[in-house]
Amino acid sequence: MTVHIDPPRKVVTSPLLDQDELETADWLASLGSLHRSAGADRVRYILAALDRRAKEIGVLPDAPPYSPYRNSIPLETQKPYPGDVALETRLTAIIRWNALAMVVRANKAYGELGGHVASYASVAEIFEVGFNHFFRASTDESEGDVVYFQPHSSPGVYARAYLEGRLSDENLKLYRQELSGPGLASYPHPWLMPEFWQVPTASMGLGPISAIYQARFMKYLEHRRLVQTRGRHVWGVFGDGEMDEPESIAGLALAAREKLDNVTFIVNCNLQRLDGPVRGNGQVIQELESIFQGAGWNVIKVLWGSDWDDIFARDSKHALLRKFAETVDGKYQTLGAKDGAYNLANFFSEDPEVRALVAHMSDADIDGLKRGGHDFRKLFAAFAAAKDTKGRPTVILAKTKKGYGMGGAGESRMTSHQTKKLDIDALYAFRDRFSLPLTNQQVENLEFFKPAEDSAELQYLRARREALGGYMPVRRRRSEALAVPPLQSYGDFALRGDGKETSTTMAIVRLFSNLLKDKTLGPRVIPIVADEARTFGMANLFRQVGIYSPVGQLYEPEDAGSMLYYKEATDGQLLEEGITEAGAISSWTAAATSYSVHNFALLPFYIYYSMFGFQRIGDLIWAAADQRARGFLIGATAGRTTLGGEGLQHQDGSSHVIAATIPNCRAYDPAFSYEVATIVDHGMRSMLAEGRDEFYYLTVMNENYAQPSMPAGVQDDIIKGLYRIVATKTASPQVRLVGSGAILPEILAAAKMLEDDWQIASEVWSATSFSELARDARDVERHNRLNPLSDQIECHASKCLSGGIPVVAASDYVRAYPQLIASYIEAPYTVLGTDGFGRSDTRAALRSFFEVDRKQIVLAALSAAARAGKIDRKRVADAIKRYEITVEVDSPWSR
């Protein structure tokens, strides 16, 4: 058989790129021959082997998709450890025990409280390296670092605070029992522990994106010369399974693009999710390396402890690296759960070369080999390298064992995440493994252990934290109050509408544009938009305050010749985040909590399509509420019928229902510019001057209609949520019409039709907030129930709508929103809303479809009056005929 070999071809190239063209041609010819004789699979195998070998010898150290399965920092470049390893090992063991005892004790006593032992057991050394050498606390000179702690590891943070004297035995005994005394929250919750936890991370995936935008916001404050943040760092300790959440990786490109060298992620790679391996058939560490490296991050892998260094030094043929590369995480988990004899038989002995590397080691020696995430020296080198890295963010991928130290009760076990209780033998084994000075009785009683105040351990712990500025986590509750300018100075145009046509979206933008001009408050106003600033009428801000960019503007914008050209600047004030609602709300949260994190109060306005708020990023908004955010969320182009042509997924009919579920969210649906101005003014004074931990959600519309001037004496009732704007002039009202937001003009038109067409007298009320009315009503109801012998009080809604006059309420939101107050109204209460899927059409067509237009409101009012016996039902039928209302169709919510 004749084997055809392609002749070498002349390669035209620079000698610098190809120093031996003939040899190159031989390689290429060999590759072609191999392909013809052995096929594509063989070629791929050989190329993979060459690629692996090139990486092993360091020719392609950063070649994609990832580097060898070993530590990124070679032993010869590893920084010496500055701490006392023996003392830190003892401290870590004590904290591990107290964390374990806290969780097991609670579940032994009550059996239903939950809690997590295995997560902290895996991350303990990571936390201790940070606490002892890197996490800087706030001082008079600097506000210190911000640390996002892995939420399931909170027992370890509590156990450390116990040694520091910040928490007592009683606190630890009441873990997850916050209603029984001075108990501890399950996870990092600033709302529940306002002087302890600084940032919430309990909903997995939100910590990573929040950390990135916090780091970015520090740069923003620095570039705008508002706060000195140089030297401060953001640390985030997260789980490998958590990185599957889309928010976890949503900000990676931003961090690299803006060169955020002030943020470091430490991903605790214990290879296990809540029920099993993160990547049973793959290698999550290598996958994460590829993701982070591809996004532009500096990646540091800490996979193997110091005990492995000698083995690697003798592995001249890289047999161990080959074995690591072919071992999947499911097997690593099994190996982690087994002893040294099992590992020797089922890993090392599977390859003669690998077996030879550990021929001198006993089963016990093999059992003692640590993963890198449990080695102080390896971790310190990684942390130090991360801090020294300039120009890009760093991620440390630290390999650990879930349930480290729990032995057969939970170390690398499938059930380790659910382990809440340990039997006595497991507790004895834990004590013995970590050489804890506890008697059998103390172990059985799950007693907490704290060394004497003058012990070497506590002296060392205090000294290390003193060197880093003090204890943490700690949260500042208040900052200096800010003066708010008089409403007339920035909002007079809204108070004096005089019937001029404009939209409430334009009103809110003009309000904060005017606030930007205030010499005191202006620099602290932070306008934020995900994208489409021009849609919201914010293009004037491009020139007025500029768009923030850490590098300024490196190009001449296409619209440079226009008055409102796109202007980026290093000290730009507007944050235009791109098409990422999750990113924009993370920026807003950083600004809205600046009073606490940076001791510098700000006033952020985040404006966005209302449909892309609570429905899309409600979890991030809830986290902001937990963190006691202060600022304004502006849901623009709001409601289900104001954004005519955009259709189903753009038309918001439910955000106010969701907003009503958040205790510290004050949500309003104003119809007129003066209402918007009054609410903004009240909110600023509440948050900035009085320091209330609340935030405001306002929905505004892009529909232009006549804006009246503000009537006298209605300010308080606007804030309460309901006030009368039109009363009948001819007779006592037969019906009351209540409207909010975009539908209030329809209510006004309906009132005129009732009078002109049917001679029905009515009152018109503006409901700026059904949720505020409901909150007040619930408080009053509770007060009356708990104080039966005291004078009973009346809520604002029932005061305004007292008696038996029928009420018709309509909004651009689902019926559940106006129905929030239904049980507090004595009169017959009819609600019209926009239940169902949205459509693309004109505003008029949409309002007719959803039965919230003026004709349907008139019909509802007539029907209510007929049911109350005030008019004959025939008049209702006459109205249906007169207004050509189709009755033989399905309801809008079923179509």
Side-chain angles (χ1 to χ4, degrees):
M1 176 172 132
T2 302
V3 177
H4 174 76
I5 300 177
D6 291 336
R9 292 183 296 170
K10 177 70 174 177
V11 180
V12 181
T13 182
S14 164
L16 184 64
L17 297 176
D18 191 351
Q19 299 177 5
D20 190 334
E21 295 181 34
L22 184 61
E23 183 182 46
T24 300
D26 287 341
W27 277 97
L28 294 176
S30 297
L31 184 66
S33 177
L34 179 65
H35 182 250
R36 285 187 296 274
S37 63
D41 286 345
R42 179 61 178 163
V43 171
R44 279 191 286 269
Y45 177 83
I46 292 297
L47 289 176
L50 287 171
D51 179 71
R52 184 167 60 248
R53 182 57 176 158
K55 292 171 184 173
E56 289 171 353
I57 63 178
V59 175
L60 298 173
D62 293 321
Y66 42 72
S67 61
Y69 203 80
R70 65 181 175 193
N71 295 341
S72 300
I73 300 175
L75 179 61
E76 57 270 20
T77 63
Q78 182 178 304
K79 286 191 175 182
Y81 198 70
D84 187 322
V85 172
L87 272 177
E88 291 185 25
T89 299
R90 290 207 294 277
L91 278 168
T92 306
I94 294 168
I95 295 171
R96 256 200 186 94
W97 166 260
N98 287 336
L100 179 148
M102 184 186 347
V103 175
V104 175
R105 183 188 190 106
N107 284 279
K108 182 178 180 181
Y110 301 99
E112 59 183 20
L113 294 174
H116 304 278
V117 176
S119 292
Y120 176 69
S122 68
V123 83
E125 285 79 10
I126 294 172
F127 276 14
E128 285 308 295
V129 168
F131 275 122
N132 286 319
H133 303 286
F134 292 97
F135 299 162
R136 305 195 69 85
S138 296
T139 65
D140 293 338
E141 291 75 34
S142 171
E143 291 303 318
D145 296 345
V146 180
V147 184
Y148 291 77
F149 292 99
Q150 187 178 14
H152 290 121
S153 300
S154 57
V157 181
Y158 292 142
R160 177 172 242 277
Y162 170 67
L163 293 190
E164 294 167 342
R166 298 197 294 147
L167 295 178
S168 66
D169 277 73
E170 188 68 12
N171 294 135
L172 268 60
K173 290 176 182 177
L174 293 176
Y175 171 64
R176 290 196 170 195
Q177 298 167 75
E178 297 168 86
L179 303 179
S180 304
L184 302 176
S186 55
Y187 303 121
H189 291 303
W191 186 264
L192 301 175
M193 297 179 67
E195 295 177 349
F196 190 87
W197 292 115
Q198 189 177 56
V199 289
T201 55
S203 191
M204 288 193 291
L206 304 191
I209 191 171
S210 299
I212 287 171
Y213 279 87
Q214 181 65 255
R216 192 285 199 92
F217 195 71
M218 285 185 180
K219 297 281 190 178
Y220 170 88
L221 292 172
E222 179 83 18
H223 286 147
R224 289 197 55 220
R225 299 178 179 85
L226 296 176
V227 177
Q228 174 60 258
T229 62
R230 191 169 302 165
R232 297 176 64 189
H233 208 79
V234 177
W235 305 91
V237 185
F238 310 116
D240 47 0
E242 182 178 5
M243 302 312 293
D244 281 346
E245 293 285 1
E247 295 90 349
S248 293
I249 60 174
L252 300 188
L254 169 82
R257 182 171 67 248
E258 299 205 1
K259 300 178 172 56
L260 299 183
D261 49 15
N262 62 334
V263 62
T264 297
F265 283 8
I266 305 98
V267 182
N268 174 25
C269 298
N270 57 36
L271 312 185
Q272 189 170 330
R273 294 195 306 259
L274 309 189
D275 289 327
V278 178
R279 295 288 183 273
N281 297 312
Q283 294 181 332
V284 69
I285 291 174
Q286 302 295 75
E287 180 183 322
L288 290 174
E289 178 183 26
S290 178
I291 291 171
F292 278 91
Q293 196 173 75
W297 286 53
N298 174 40
V299 179
I300 301 174
K301 293 193 291 193
V302 184
L303 308 186
W304 310 110
S306 300
D307 295 334
W308 290 85
D309 287 338
D310 179 61
I311 302 174
F312 281 115
R314 290 183 288 103
D315 187 18
S316 59
K317 297 182 180 180
H318 304 291
L320 192 55
L321 290 181
R322 290 196 300 272
K323 185 63 178 172
F324 286 153
E326 67 187 32
T327 303
V328 297
D329 285 353
K331 183 169 183 177
Y332 277 125
Q333 185 187 4
T334 302
L335 294 169
K338 303 295 185 178
D339 59 14
Y342 181 93
N343 276 255
L344 193 61
N346 293 278
F347 179 80
F348 293 97
S349 295
E350 290 180 343
D351 184 311
E353 289 186 79
V354 175
R355 179 67 180 88
L357 293 172
V358 296
H360 63 293
M361 299 178 69
S362 66
D363 292 352
D365 293 333
I366 297 294
D367 197 43
L369 292 172
K370 289 181 181 177
R371 294 181 178 179
H374 301 300
D375 188 300
F376 290 122
R377 292 182 174 87
K378 300 298 183 185
L379 287 169
F380 177 85
F383 273 68
K387 279 297 295 287
D388 290 343
T389 298
K390 303 303 177 186
R392 58 176 175 161
T394 295
V395 60
I396 298 169
L397 303 175
K399 187 172 184 177
T400 65
K401 284 185 181 182
K402 193 158 190 175
Y404 182 69
M406 294 170 64
E411 188 164 294
S412 285
R413 304 282 171 171
M414 292 288 190
T415 57
S416 60
H417 190 79
Q418 281 71 39
T419 300
K420 322 294 182 190
K421 302 178 182 180
L422 281 76
D423 60 29
I424 292 300
D425 289 339
L427 293 171
Y428 288 158
F430 189 96
R431 173 199 62 186
D432 296 341
R433 175 166 184 170
F434 293 108
S435 303
L436 293 163
L438 296 167
T439 66
N440 286 354
Q441 189 63 46
Q442 288 174 315
V443 170
E444 293 166 14
N445 292 340
L446 293 166
E447 293 183 19
F448 303 124
F449 176 69
K450 187 174 185 180
E453 287 298 316
D454 60 352
S455 65
E457 291 88 349
L458 291 194
Q459 289 186 45
Y460 182 87
L461 179 146
R462 287 192 288 263
R464 291 310 310 143
R465 287 314 310 163
E466 184 178 350
L468 292 168
Y471 297 128
M472 64 184 313
V474 171
R475 181 182 175 277
R476 179 185 293 102
R477 299 196 67 169
R478 292 185 178 273
S479 63
E480 184 179 354
L482 286 181
V484 176
L487 174 55
Q488 287 75 13
S489 69
Y490 65 90
D492 190 61
F493 74 93
L495 303 180
R496 301 176 184 273
D498 296 330
K500 296 176 183 177
E501 287 200 357
T502 188
S503 69
T504 49
T505 295
M506 290 300 99
I508 191 73
V509 171
R510 188 173 174 185
L511 283 169
F512 65 70
S513 296
N514 289 347
L515 284 169
L516 285 165
K517 299 172 185 176
D518 185 82
K519 290 183 179 179
T520 302
L521 186 59
R524 302 198 187 211
V525 175
I526 314 296
I528 302 170
V529 63
D531 195 27
E532 297 198 272
R534 297 182 193 276
T535 298
F536 304 133
M538 297 170 62
N540 65 303
L541 297 184
F542 296 166
R543 285 289 302 275
Q544 182 179 346
V545 296
I547 301 163
Y548 171 70
S549 166
V551 296
Q553 192 156 35
L554 306 179
Y555 62 94
E556 183 179 36
E558 174 274 329
D559 58 352
S562 69
M563 287 291 294
L564 304 177
Y565 70 86
Y566 197 84
K567 175 188 173 185
E568 299 187 68
T570 306
D571 61 351
Q573 196 162 346
L574 170 66
L575 288 170
E576 188 169 33
E577 303 295 14
I579 304 176
T580 166
E581 284 80 13
I585 192 66
S586 296
S587 272
W588 180 85
T589 301
T593 57
S594 176
Y595 74 93
S596 175
V597 176
H598 307 295
N599 196 24
F600 191 78
L602 296 169
L603 185 66
F605 288 84
Y606 170 32
I607 187 167
Y608 56 91
Y609 274 77
S610 67
M611 185 63 171
F612 305 143
F614 287 85
Q615 293 91 323
R616 175 174 288 194
I617 49 164
D619 203 9
L620 281 160
I621 296 175
W622 187 264
D626 188 351
Q627 202 173 337
R628 297 171 175 261
R630 302 173 185 172
F632 289 95
L633 297 177
I634 310 299
T637 57
R640 186 147 283 166
T641 69
T642 65
L643 192 60
E646 293 289 348
L648 188 150
Q649 285 193 273
H650 283 65
Q651 293 169 345
D652 169 28
S654 54
S655 67
H656 270 289
V657 178
I658 305 172
T661 67
I662 301 177
N664 56 339
C665 176
R666 303 288 178 253
Y668 290 87
D669 184 31
F672 296 134
S673 296
Y674 68 78
E675 295 175 346
V676 174
T678 300
I679 295 163
V680 167
D681 185 71
H682 172 81
M684 287 195 299
R685 297 183 190 285
S686 175
M687 295 182 292
L688 299 180
E690 300 171 22
R692 294 184 184 276
D693 292 335
E694 59 190 24
F695 65 98
Y696 286 72
Y697 175 53
L698 277 73
T699 43
V700 293
M701 282 68 70
N702 62 334
E703 180 178 1
N704 292 326
Y705 49 78
Q707 298 291 336
S709 298
M710 185 169 73
V714 299
Q715 292 94 327
D716 289 346
D717 287 348
I718 288 173
I719 301 306
K720 290 177 181 177
L722 184 66
Y723 70 101
R724 188 173 63 187
I725 56 175
V726 176
T728 180
K729 298 178 181 178
T730 59
S732 298
Q734 293 173 270
V735 66
R736 287 178 171 136
L737 305 181
V738 178
S740 71
I743 303 304
L744 185 56
E746 296 295 315
I747 288 279
L748 288 165
K752 190 173 189 308
M753 290 169 65
L754 280 170
E755 187 167 10
D756 293 346
D757 297 349
W758 307 97
Q759 293 73 52
I760 299 291
S762 65
E763 287 180 350
V764 175
W765 294 74
S766 175
T768 53
S769 178
F770 286 107
S771 55
E772 284 299 294
L773 291 172
R775 180 177 282 120
D776 167 63
R778 288 192 297 268
D779 286 342
V780 168
E781 182 182 58
R782 178 179 181 274
H783 174 273
N784 290 340
R785 183 174 68 249
L786 298 178
N787 297 274
L789 301 182
S790 300
D791 291 339
Q792 302 292 279
I793 57 178
E794 193 173 10
C795 69
H796 185 67
S798 62
K799 282 181 184 177
C800 294
L801 305 177
S802 61
I805 300 172
V807 178
V808 175
S811 83
D812 215 10
Y813 289 83
V814 295
R815 285 165 169 76
Y817 180 49
Q819 284 170 342
L820 288 170
I821 65 169
S823 64
Y824 308 108
I825 305 301
E826 179 183 346
Y829 189 66
T830 302
V831 170
L832 303 180
T834 55
D835 299 69
F837 287 120
R839 299 290 197 279
S840 295
D841 214 308
T842 64
R843 294 187 183 108
L846 288 169
R847 287 166 186 165
S848 175
F849 172 81
F850 283 109
E851 301 172 359
V852 292
D853 65 351
R854 59 195 67 183
K855 294 178 182 179
Q856 291 284 354
I857 295 168
V858 169
L859 181 62
L862 293 172
S863 178
R867 290 195 306 273
K870 296 180 180 294
I871 63 172
D872 190 277
R873 282 188 294 170
K874 185 178 181 303
R875 301 187 75 186
V876 182
D878 291 343
I880 292 173
K881 182 177 180 180
R882 177 170 185 169
Y883 298 134
E884 298 179 336
I885 295 174
T886 304
V887 297
E888 295 177 353
V889 293
D890 291 335
S891 62
W893 52 87
S894 63
R895 285 188 267 170

